[in-house]
């Protein structure tokens, strides 16, 4: 899918990209995100392919849901840092309890880096929905604040 080719299919028009290397979680996360009323633009199991896609299509993406450990324990944090340098797309981290606290140090103040324990059943669904909405709202508020700051400086 090339730049500018993403199709918006839900009423809210929010486009989500998922990076998760375990097939069962790919299906679960995708189904939940769609049930919440968002578009799942793509699901990647390869970090490298996902980053390339994100960099080509970042204007059409509203949120990235990222496994904190992907591809044989390659750190999701490193992927997030690369995305963070090049885009302003908010991220949500999916974790296991042993790795949860390590991702908070990435928080730039402009994005929401949140940890959701993906092994926690019904609680997981509730938390994922809450944090998707929170991430999108925070990002929107930050964008408005930046716009106001530009107006004030001019």
């Amino acid at each position: 899918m090339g730049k500018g080719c993403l199709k918006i299919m839900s009423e809210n028009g929010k486009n989500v990209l998922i990076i998760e290397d375990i097939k069962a979680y790919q299906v679960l996360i995708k189904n939940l995100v769609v049930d919440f009323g968002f578009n799942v633009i793509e699901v990647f199991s390869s970090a490298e392919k996902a980053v390339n896609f994100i960099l080509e299509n970042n204007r059409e993406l509203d949120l990235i849901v990222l496994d904190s450990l992907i591809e044989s324990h390659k750190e999701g944090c490193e992927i997030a840092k690369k995305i963070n340098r090049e885009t302003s797309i908010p991220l949500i981290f999916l974790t296991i309890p042993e790795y949860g606290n390590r991702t908070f140090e990435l928080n730039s103040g402009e994005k929401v880096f949140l940890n959701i324990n993906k092994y926690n059943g019904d609680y997981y669904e509730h938390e994922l929905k809450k944090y998707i909405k929170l991430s999108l709202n925070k990002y929107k508020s930050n964008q408005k604040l930046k716009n106001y700051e530009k107006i004030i400086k001019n």
Side-chain angles (χ1 to χ4, degrees):
M1 199 177 298
K3 194 170 189 173
C5 295
L6 300 180
K7 295 180 181 177
I8 296 174
M9 298 172 11
S10 75
E11 289 181 30
N12 69 28
K14 298 297 181 189
N15 298 319
V16 179
L17 181 129
I18 299 167
I19 307 171
E20 167 64 67
D21 57 345
I22 298 172
K23 184 67 173 172
Y25 284 112
Q26 288 177 348
V27 172
L28 172 66
I29 297 162
K30 180 179 179 180
N31 289 342
L32 288 173
V33 170
V34 169
D35 287 349
F36 300 156
F38 301 102
N39 303 319
V40 173
I41 296 304
E42 194 70 59
V43 179
F44 287 96
S45 58
S46 163
E48 184 178 336
K49 288 179 182 177
V51 169
N52 290 337
F53 181 88
I54 291 163
L55 296 179
E56 290 176 12
N57 296 283
N58 71 67
R59 290 190 178 120
E60 289 90 359
L61 297 172
D62 298 297
L63 181 71
I64 299 167
V65 178
L66 171 65
D67 186 5
S68 63
L69 292 174
I70 192 164
E71 295 177 339
S72 302
H73 300 20
K74 182 176 182 178
E75 293 275 354
C77 296
E78 293 305 315
I79 299 164
K81 285 179 184 177
K82 186 171 186 175
I83 294 167
N84 189 31
R85 284 190 299 267
E86 303 293 329
T87 77
S88 62
I89 304 167
L91 297 160
I92 293 178
F93 274 93
L94 305 178
T95 72
I96 56 176
E98 295 83 23
Y99 297 100
N101 293 333
R102 291 170 45 181
T103 58
F104 284 113
E105 66 193 50
L106 290 176
N107 192 338
S108 67
E110 293 185 24
K111 298 181 186 176
V112 178
F113 291 92
L114 299 164
N115 293 324
I116 303 170
N117 181 351
K118 64 183 180 180
Y119 299 131
N120 204 357
D122 293 336
Y123 179 73
Y124 175 71
E125 179 178 346
H126 171 74
E127 291 296 290
L128 182 60
K129 185 174 186 177
K130 177 175 78 176
Y131 286 132
I132 286 175
K133 289 181 177 182
L134 177 64
S135 296
L136 292 170
N137 288 336
K138 183 175 180 185
Y139 177 72
K140 183 178 177 181
S141 295
N142 285 342
Q143 292 302 102
K144 284 182 180 179
L145 182 60
K146 284 181 183 180
N147 290 336
Y148 292 139
E149 287 172 351
K150 286 180 186 176
I151 291 169
I152 291 170
K153 287 181 182 179
N154 294 331

